[in-house]
Amino acid sequence: MKMLAAVFLCVSLFPLSNARAEEPVDTVQGIIQGQITAFLNDDAKTAYSFASPTIRGKFPTEDAFFDMVKKGYAPVYRPGNFAFGRFKVADDTVVQEVLISGQDGKDWTALYQVVKQPDGSYKINGVHMVRTAPGPQI
């Protein structure tokens, strides 16, 4: 299945750091992969464990969080396929682009904001969904 590239809307939000830029990216991608796997397995507890304190404050239970994702982020909850795209690192924040092909065949870009916590771990602090425009037919 083909993935269409999307315009990365957060390019101007975070300047790319030099040597440190790629250090947290593998960790962040593992966290995103883990949460998507939890969604696919209907494992609310594990999916919720990747959420930042800010998100947990808005959705104080695993069930409330899981319901919000099911209703508002269906492509993330049940992706057909997904692949990691570009990223930006600034201080303790990583914005990771995830290209998603939904089960309905529509293409999306999920922009994950992942923040470093005081204990050194990273947690997902938000996801912004962008519907990707179809490219030319090939």
Side-chain angles (χ1 to χ4, degrees):
M1 182 173 277
K2 68 179 181 177
M3 280 299 226
L4 300 175
V7 176
F8 189 45
L9 297 179
C10 290
V11 169
S12 62
L13 292 180
F14 301 106
L16 185 60
S17 300
N18 291 336
R20 298 179 335 149
E22 295 188 34
E23 290 178 11
V25 174
D26 289 339
T27 299
V28 165
Q29 289 178 354
I31 289 165
I32 295 168
Q33 171 79 44
Q35 189 177 62
I36 291 173
T37 299
F39 290 142
L40 289 170
N41 292 325
D42 287 322
D43 182 354
K45 181 177 183 168
T46 299
Y48 191 64
S49 74
F50 295 108
S52 73
T54 301
I55 298 300
R56 288 170 172 253
K58 292 178 183 178
F59 304 96
T61 67
E62 296 166 3
D63 290 337
F65 173 75
F66 215 62
D67 287 342
M68 176 274 298
V69 173
K70 284 182 192 179
K71 292 175 185 171
Y73 297 86
V76 170
Y77 175 66
R78 288 289 189 261
N81 290 312
F82 70 94
F84 294 108
R86 296 168 287 184
F87 63 88
K88 295 289 177 187
V89 179
D91 300 322
D92 290 338
T93 301
V94 178
V95 175
Q96 174 66 60
E97 177 183 61
V98 181
L99 307 171
I100 299 173
S101 178
Q103 288 188 337
D104 61 1
K106 294 179 182 174
D107 293 322
W108 295 85
T109 299
L111 301 173
Y112 278 77
Q113 181 190 50
V114 185
V115 295
K116 189 173 186 177
Q117 303 302 300
D119 68 358
S121 67
Y122 283 84
K123 299 288 184 179
I124 298 169
N125 199 48
V127 179
H128 178 71
M129 300 297 296
V130 179
R131 176 79 169 93
T132 53
Q137 296 294 325
I138 56 172

mmCIF file of all heavy atoms in Angstrom, residues 100-132:
data_model
loop_
_atom_site.group_PDB
_atom_site.id
_atom_site.type_symbol
_atom_site.label_atom_id
_atom_site.label_comp_id
_atom_site.label_asym_id
_atom_site.label_seq_id
_atom_site.Cartn_x
_atom_site.Cartn_y
_atom_site.Cartn_z
ATOM 1 N N ILE A 100 0.176 7.511 8.211
ATOM 2 C CA ILE A 100 -0.758 6.432 8.509
ATOM 3 C C ILE A 100 -1.707 6.238 7.343
ATOM 4 O O ILE A 100 -2.276 7.198 6.819
ATOM 5 C CB ILE A 100 -1.582 6.750 9.777
ATOM 6 C CG1 ILE A 100 -0.666 6.901 10.984
ATOM 7 C CG2 ILE A 100 -2.636 5.672 10.020
ATOM 8 C CD1 ILE A 100 -1.373 7.375 12.240
ATOM 9 N N SER A 101 -1.891 4.991 6.965
ATOM 10 C CA SER A 101 -2.936 4.622 6.025
ATOM 11 C C SER A 101 -4.032 3.979 6.857
ATOM 12 O O SER A 101 -3.831 2.907 7.442
ATOM 13 C CB SER A 101 -2.395 3.647 4.981
ATOM 14 O OG SER A 101 -3.421 3.272 4.102
ATOM 15 N N GLY A 102 -5.175 4.641 6.940
ATOM 16 C CA GLY A 102 -6.275 4.124 7.740
ATOM 17 C C GLY A 102 -6.872 2.868 7.134
ATOM 18 O O GLY A 102 -6.666 2.565 5.960
ATOM 19 N N GLN A 103 -7.621 2.147 7.925
ATOM 20 C CA GLN A 103 -8.255 0.929 7.423
ATOM 21 C C GLN A 103 -9.246 1.227 6.311
ATOM 22 O O GLN A 103 -9.559 0.357 5.518
ATOM 23 C CB GLN A 103 -8.923 0.174 8.568
ATOM 24 C CG GLN A 103 -7.922 -0.482 9.482
ATOM 25 C CD GLN A 103 -8.578 -1.388 10.503
ATOM 26 O OE1 GLN A 103 -9.732 -1.255 10.847
ATOM 27 N NE2 GLN A 103 -7.796 -2.329 10.998
ATOM 28 N N ASP A 104 -9.719 2.482 6.250
ATOM 29 C CA ASP A 104 -10.646 2.879 5.192
ATOM 30 C C ASP A 104 -9.912 3.297 3.919
ATOM 31 O O ASP A 104 -10.528 3.711 2.947
ATOM 32 C CB ASP A 104 -11.552 4.009 5.673
ATOM 33 C CG ASP A 104 -10.772 5.262 6.068
ATOM 34 O OD1 ASP A 104 -9.525 5.270 5.956
ATOM 35 O OD2 ASP A 104 -11.421 6.230 6.511
ATOM 36 N N GLY A 105 -8.568 3.210 3.920
ATOM 37 C CA GLY A 105 -7.770 3.554 2.755
ATOM 38 C C GLY A 105 -7.368 5.016 2.677
ATOM 39 O O GLY A 105 -6.604 5.401 1.797
ATOM 40 N N LYS A 106 -7.847 5.855 3.592
ATOM 41 C CA LYS A 106 -7.473 7.269 3.590
ATOM 42 C C LYS A 106 -6.123 7.440 4.275
ATOM 43 O O LYS A 106 -5.815 6.741 5.225
ATOM 44 C CB LYS A 106 -8.543 8.090 4.304
ATOM 45 C CG LYS A 106 -9.865 8.095 3.567
ATOM 46 C CD LYS A 106 -10.908 8.902 4.301
ATOM 47 C CE LYS A 106 -12.226 8.841 3.546
ATOM 48 N NZ LYS A 106 -13.304 9.500 4.282
ATOM 49 N N ASP A 107 -5.353 8.385 3.753
ATOM 50 C CA ASP A 107 -4.019 8.644 4.291
ATOM 51 C C ASP A 107 -4.044 9.831 5.242
ATOM 52 O O ASP A 107 -4.717 10.833 4.995
ATOM 53 C CB ASP A 107 -3.021 8.898 3.162
ATOM 54 C CG ASP A 107 -2.768 7.659 2.324
ATOM 55 O OD1 ASP A 107 -2.714 6.551 2.899
ATOM 56 O OD2 ASP A 107 -2.620 7.790 1.096
ATOM 57 N N TRP A 108 -3.275 9.705 6.335
ATOM 58 C CA TRP A 108 -3.207 10.711 7.381
ATOM 59 C C TRP A 108 -1.757 10.923 7.783
ATOM 60 O O TRP A 108 -0.928 10.027 7.627
ATOM 61 C CB TRP A 108 -3.966 10.247 8.627
ATOM 62 C CG TRP A 108 -5.424 10.103 8.421
ATOM 63 C CD1 TRP A 108 -6.079 9.006 7.925
ATOM 64 C CD2 TRP A 108 -6.425 11.075 8.693
ATOM 65 N NE1 TRP A 108 -7.425 9.242 7.878
ATOM 66 C CE2 TRP A 108 -7.667 10.504 8.352
ATOM 67 C CE3 TRP A 108 -6.393 12.364 9.208
ATOM 68 C CZ2 TRP A 108 -8.856 11.202 8.494
ATOM 69 C CZ3 TRP A 108 -7.575 13.051 9.352
ATOM 70 C CH2 TRP A 108 -8.797 12.472 8.998
ATOM 71 N N THR A 109 -1.501 12.089 8.335
ATOM 72 C CA THR A 109 -0.237 12.352 9.011
ATOM 73 C C THR A 109 -0.579 12.656 10.458
ATOM 74 O O THR A 109 -1.402 13.530 10.733
ATOM 75 C CB THR A 109 0.508 13.531 8.383
ATOM 76 O OG1 THR A 109 0.806 13.217 7.024
ATOM 77 C CG2 THR A 109 1.801 13.810 9.138
ATOM 78 N N ALA A 110 0.022 11.904 11.358
ATOM 79 C CA ALA A 110 -0.132 12.154 12.792
ATOM 80 C C ALA A 110 1.152 12.818 13.275
ATOM 81 O O ALA A 110 2.240 12.277 13.078
ATOM 82 C CB ALA A 110 -0.387 10.852 13.542
ATOM 83 N N LEU A 111 1.017 13.985 13.865
ATOM 84 C CA LEU A 111 2.161 14.694 14.415
ATOM 85 C C LEU A 111 2.147 14.500 15.923
ATOM 86 O O LEU A 111 1.313 15.078 16.622
ATOM 87 C CB LEU A 111 2.085 16.177 14.060
ATOM 88 C CG LEU A 111 2.042 16.479 12.558
ATOM 89 C CD1 LEU A 111 1.784 17.952 12.319
ATOM 90 C CD2 LEU A 111 3.326 16.037 11.892
ATOM 91 N N TYR A 112 3.031 13.650 16.402
ATOM 92 C CA TYR A 112 3.124 13.333 17.828
ATOM 93 C C TYR A 112 4.046 14.323 18.512
ATOM 94 O O TYR A 112 5.165 14.551 18.050
ATOM 95 C CB TYR A 112 3.713 11.940 18.024
ATOM 96 C CG TYR A 112 2.741 10.808 17.879
ATOM 97 C CD1 TYR A 112 2.311 10.380 16.628
ATOM 98 C CD2 TYR A 112 2.244 10.151 19.002
ATOM 99 C CE1 TYR A 112 1.432 9.322 16.499
ATOM 100 C CE2 TYR A 112 1.359 9.099 18.886
ATOM 101 C CZ TYR A 112 0.952 8.685 17.627
ATOM 102 O OH TYR A 112 0.070 7.652 17.510
ATOM 103 N N GLN A 113 3.599 14.873 19.626
ATOM 104 C CA GLN A 113 4.459 15.684 20.484
ATOM 105 C C GLN A 113 4.790 14.809 21.694
ATOM 106 O O GLN A 113 3.897 14.378 22.423
ATOM 107 C CB GLN A 113 3.766 16.963 20.938
ATOM 108 C CG GLN A 113 4.675 17.806 21.814
ATOM 109 C CD GLN A 113 3.942 18.953 22.474
ATOM 110 O OE1 GLN A 113 2.905 18.759 23.073
ATOM 111 N NE2 GLN A 113 4.512 20.129 22.367
ATOM 112 N N VAL A 114 6.066 14.536 21.867
ATOM 113 C CA VAL A 114 6.525 13.662 22.947
ATOM 114 C C VAL A 114 7.503 14.461 23.800
ATOM 115 O O VAL A 114 8.443 15.062 23.275
ATOM 116 C CB VAL A 114 7.180 12.382 22.388
ATOM 117 C CG1 VAL A 114 7.534 11.419 23.494
ATOM 118 C CG2 VAL A 114 6.248 11.708 21.365
ATOM 119 N N VAL A 115 7.260 14.485 25.108
ATOM 120 C CA VAL A 115 8.068 15.323 25.995
ATOM 121 C C VAL A 115 8.815 14.490 27.033
ATOM 122 O O VAL A 115 8.312 13.484 27.534
ATOM 123 C CB VAL A 115 7.204 16.399 26.695
ATOM 124 C CG1 VAL A 115 6.654 17.381 25.682
ATOM 125 C CG2 VAL A 115 6.082 15.784 27.475
ATOM 126 N N LYS A 116 10.020 14.951 27.330
ATOM 127 C CA LYS A 116 10.850 14.306 28.339
ATOM 128 C C LYS A 116 10.326 14.674 29.720
ATOM 129 O O LYS A 116 10.048 15.836 30.002
ATOM 130 C CB LYS A 116 12.303 14.738 28.193
ATOM 131 C CG LYS A 116 13.268 13.955 29.049
ATOM 132 C CD LYS A 116 14.697 14.337 28.713
ATOM 133 C CE LYS A 116 15.694 13.470 29.434
ATOM 134 N NZ LYS A 116 17.071 13.827 29.040
ATOM 135 N N GLN A 117 10.207 13.678 30.579
ATOM 136 C CA GLN A 117 9.691 13.858 31.930
ATOM 137 C C GLN A 117 10.854 14.075 32.902
ATOM 138 O O GLN A 117 11.999 13.767 32.596
ATOM 139 C CB GLN A 117 8.873 12.629 32.333
ATOM 140 C CG GLN A 117 7.724 12.316 31.383
ATOM 141 C CD GLN A 117 6.750 13.456 31.248
ATOM 142 O OE1 GLN A 117 6.146 13.885 32.226
ATOM 143 N NE2 GLN A 117 6.587 13.979 30.030
ATOM 144 N N PRO A 118 10.561 14.577 34.102
ATOM 145 C CA PRO A 118 11.627 14.803 35.090
ATOM 146 C C PRO A 118 12.447 13.544 35.409
ATOM 147 O O PRO A 118 13.629 13.649 35.723
ATOM 148 C CB PRO A 118 10.864 15.288 36.326
ATOM 149 C CG PRO A 118 9.640 15.928 35.775
ATOM 150 C CD PRO A 118 9.273 15.099 34.569
ATOM 151 N N ASP A 119 11.834 12.363 35.266
ATOM 152 C CA ASP A 119 12.564 11.124 35.551
ATOM 153 C C ASP A 119 13.402 10.636 34.364
ATOM 154 O O ASP A 119 14.033 9.586 34.425
ATOM 155 C CB ASP A 119 11.600 10.025 36.010
ATOM 156 C CG ASP A 119 10.658 9.538 34.914
ATOM 157 O OD1 ASP A 119 10.705 10.065 33.769
ATOM 158 O OD2 ASP A 119 9.859 8.631 35.200
ATOM 159 N N GLY A 120 13.375 11.400 33.238
ATOM 160 C CA GLY A 120 14.165 11.033 32.063
ATOM 161 C C GLY A 120 13.392 10.249 31.021
ATOM 162 O O GLY A 120 13.869 10.062 29.908
ATOM 163 N N SER A 121 12.200 9.773 31.361
ATOM 164 C CA SER A 121 11.379 9.047 30.393
ATOM 165 C C SER A 121 10.698 10.032 29.438
ATOM 166 O O SER A 121 10.691 11.240 29.684
ATOM 167 C CB SER A 121 10.319 8.207 31.112
ATOM 168 O OG SER A 121 9.371 9.046 31.751
ATOM 169 N N TYR A 122 10.159 9.519 28.358
ATOM 170 C CA TYR A 122 9.403 10.328 27.405
ATOM 171 C C TYR A 122 7.953 9.872 27.414
ATOM 172 O O TYR A 122 7.671 8.668 27.517
ATOM 173 C CB TYR A 122 9.973 10.193 25.991
ATOM 174 C CG TYR A 122 11.232 10.991 25.782
ATOM 175 C CD1 TYR A 122 12.476 10.484 26.147
ATOM 176 C CD2 TYR A 122 11.180 12.265 25.234
ATOM 177 C CE1 TYR A 122 13.631 11.221 25.969
ATOM 178 C CE2 TYR A 122 12.339 13.014 25.052
ATOM 179 C CZ TYR A 122 13.556 12.480 25.415
ATOM 180 O OH TYR A 122 14.702 13.221 25.244
ATOM 181 N N LYS A 123 7.033 10.838 27.309
ATOM 182 C CA LYS A 123 5.596 10.542 27.291
ATOM 183 C C LYS A 123 4.944 11.332 26.163
ATOM 184 O O LYS A 123 5.349 12.457 25.848
ATOM 185 C CB LYS A 123 4.928 10.914 28.622
ATOM 186 C CG LYS A 123 5.465 10.168 29.826
ATOM 187 C CD LYS A 123 5.042 8.722 29.824
ATOM 188 C CE LYS A 123 5.522 8.022 31.089
ATOM 189 N NZ LYS A 123 5.115 6.633 31.138
ATOM 190 N N ILE A 124 3.892 10.751 25.593
ATOM 191 C CA ILE A 124 3.152 11.389 24.511
ATOM 192 C C ILE A 124 2.279 12.491 25.106
ATOM 193 O O ILE A 124 1.455 12.227 25.985
ATOM 194 C CB ILE A 124 2.313 10.359 23.742
ATOM 195 C CG1 ILE A 124 3.243 9.312 23.094
ATOM 196 C CG2 ILE A 124 1.443 11.051 22.684
ATOM 197 C CD1 ILE A 124 2.535 8.099 22.529
ATOM 198 N N ASN A 125 2.463 13.704 24.605
ATOM 199 C CA ASN A 125 1.772 14.866 25.141
ATOM 200 C C ASN A 125 0.659 15.363 24.216
ATOM 201 O O ASN A 125 -0.055 16.289 24.557
ATOM 202 C CB ASN A 125 2.769 15.992 25.397
ATOM 203 C CG ASN A 125 2.238 17.024 26.346
ATOM 204 O OD1 ASN A 125 1.716 16.703 27.394
ATOM 205 N ND2 ASN A 125 2.375 18.293 25.971
ATOM 206 N N GLY A 126 0.537 14.773 23.059
ATOM 207 C CA GLY A 126 -0.518 15.166 22.139
ATOM 208 C C GLY A 126 -0.252 14.638 20.747
ATOM 209 O O GLY A 126 0.888 14.323 20.395
ATOM 210 N N VAL A 127 -1.330 14.534 19.977
ATOM 211 C CA VAL A 127 -1.246 14.093 18.583
ATOM 212 C C VAL A 127 -2.153 14.999 17.767
ATOM 213 O O VAL A 127 -3.322 15.194 18.115
ATOM 214 C CB VAL A 127 -1.695 12.620 18.414
ATOM 215 C CG1 VAL A 127 -1.630 12.198 16.944
ATOM 216 C CG2 VAL A 127 -0.856 11.690 19.271
ATOM 217 N N HIS A 128 -1.601 15.544 16.705
ATOM 218 C CA HIS A 128 -2.382 16.383 15.795
ATOM 219 C C HIS A 128 -2.528 15.616 14.484
ATOM 220 O O HIS A 128 -1.526 15.239 13.866
ATOM 221 C CB HIS A 128 -1.677 17.722 15.571
ATOM 222 C CG HIS A 128 -2.380 18.610 14.612
ATOM 223 N ND1 HIS A 128 -3.570 19.230 14.905
ATOM 224 C CD2 HIS A 128 -2.064 18.982 13.341
ATOM 225 C CE1 HIS A 128 -3.959 19.940 13.856
ATOM 226 N NE2 HIS A 128 -3.055 19.805 12.902
ATOM 227 N N MET A 129 -3.775 15.370 14.074
ATOM 228 C CA MET A 129 -4.046 14.617 12.856
ATOM 229 C C MET A 129 -4.247 15.568 11.679
ATOM 230 O O MET A 129 -4.991 16.540 11.784
ATOM 231 C CB MET A 129 -5.298 13.757 13.029
ATOM 232 C CG MET A 129 -5.214 12.742 14.143
ATOM 233 S SD MET A 129 -3.935 11.477 13.914
ATOM 234 C CE MET A 129 -4.526 10.653 12.449
ATOM 235 N N VAL A 130 -3.603 15.252 10.561
ATOM 236 C CA VAL A 130 -3.736 16.021 9.337
ATOM 237 C C VAL A 130 -4.111 15.062 8.215
ATOM 238 O O VAL A 130 -3.400 14.070 7.990
ATOM 239 C CB VAL A 130 -2.412 16.752 8.978
ATOM 240 C CG1 VAL A 130 -2.556 17.541 7.688
ATOM 241 C CG2 VAL A 130 -1.955 17.645 10.113
ATOM 242 N N ARG A 131 -5.213 15.349 7.561
ATOM 243 C CA ARG A 131 -5.629 14.523 6.412
ATOM 244 C C ARG A 131 -4.705 14.858 5.256
ATOM 245 O O ARG A 131 -4.542 16.014 4.900
ATOM 246 C CB ARG A 131 -7.086 14.845 6.059
ATOM 247 C CG ARG A 131 -7.596 14.136 4.832
ATOM 248 C CD ARG A 131 -7.968 12.682 5.150
ATOM 249 N NE ARG A 131 -8.679 12.106 4.043
ATOM 250 C CZ ARG A 131 -8.091 11.408 3.065
ATOM 251 N NH1 ARG A 131 -6.798 11.192 3.095
ATOM 252 N NH2 ARG A 131 -8.796 10.928 2.077
ATOM 253 N N THR A 132 -4.060 13.868 4.678
ATOM 254 C CA THR A 132 -3.156 14.116 3.569
ATOM 255 C C THR A 132 -3.933 14.139 2.274
ATOM 256 O O THR A 132 -4.852 13.352 2.051
ATOM 257 C CB THR A 132 -2.032 13.053 3.498
ATOM 258 O OG1 THR A 132 -2.609 11.760 3.499
ATOM 259 C CG2 THR A 132 -1.078 13.195 4.661
#
